[in-house]
């Protein structure tokens, strides 16, 4: 199923491999959408509903997910380098292998998320939970190979 968004200019269809560079999808309902392999650099997903969405291998460098609902979302092997996920909801979110280097993850509760193999080097985890995720980000993490 290709998700359709309604923006002021009319409907926007998204499919795997879409390029959304510099798009503003703030407040959009993308729940259960399959956004595998999309490129969304500098895109705003602020306060968007991405619950149950598949963002597998997506590239969303410097994107904003502030306040977004990522409950049950799958971000396996995604590249979110420099992205902002401030106060996002990450209940049961799969961040396996996700590149979150230099991301802003303040006030993020990852207690029920799969984050143990995510790349967190240099991420800002001020106020994040659990404490183990903060410890992981400050320890030496090997560079991800291309």
């Amino acid at each position: 199923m290709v998700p359709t968004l309604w923006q002021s200019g009319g409907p926007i269809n998204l499919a795997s491999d879409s390029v959304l560079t510099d798009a503003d999808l703030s407040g959009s309902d993308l729940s259960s959408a399959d956004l595998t392999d999309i490129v969304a650099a500098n895109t705003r997903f602020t306060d968007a509903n991405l619950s149950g969405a598949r963002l597998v291998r997506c590239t969303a460098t410097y994107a904003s997910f502030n306040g977004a609902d990522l409950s049950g979302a799958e971000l396996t092997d995604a590249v979110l380098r420099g992205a902002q996920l401030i106060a996002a909801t990450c209940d049961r979110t799969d961040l396996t292998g996700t590149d979150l280097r230099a991301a802003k993850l303040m006030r993020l509760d990852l207690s029920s998320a799969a984050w143990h193999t995510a790349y967190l080097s240099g991420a800002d985890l001020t106020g994040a939970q659990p404490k183990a995720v903060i410890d992981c980000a400050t320890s030496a993490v090997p560079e991800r190979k291309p």
Side-chain angles (χ1 to χ4, degrees), residues 77 94-99 114-120 136 141 144:
D77 297 321
D94 188 353
L95 298 167
T96 302
T98 300
D99 184 349
W115 57 267
H116 295 88
T117 60
Y119 298 87
L120 297 167
C136 181
V141 177
R144 183 177 189 163

Side-chain angles (χ1 to χ4, degrees), residues 3 5 14 20 25-35 38 43-55 58 60 63-75 80 85 88-89 91 93:
L5 295 173
L14 298 177
L20 304 169
L25 301 176
S26 297
S28 297
D29 184 357
L30 294 166
S31 56
S32 301
D34 186 355
L35 304 174
I38 67 163
T43 295
R44 288 173 299 287
F45 293 98
T46 303
D47 298 319
N49 180 359
L50 290 155
S51 61
R54 288 181 41 98
L55 291 111
C58 82
S64 172
F65 293 89
N66 294 338
D69 184 356
L70 293 161
S71 299
E74 184 180 356
L75 286 96
L80 303 180
L85 286 87
T89 302
D91 183 39
T93 303

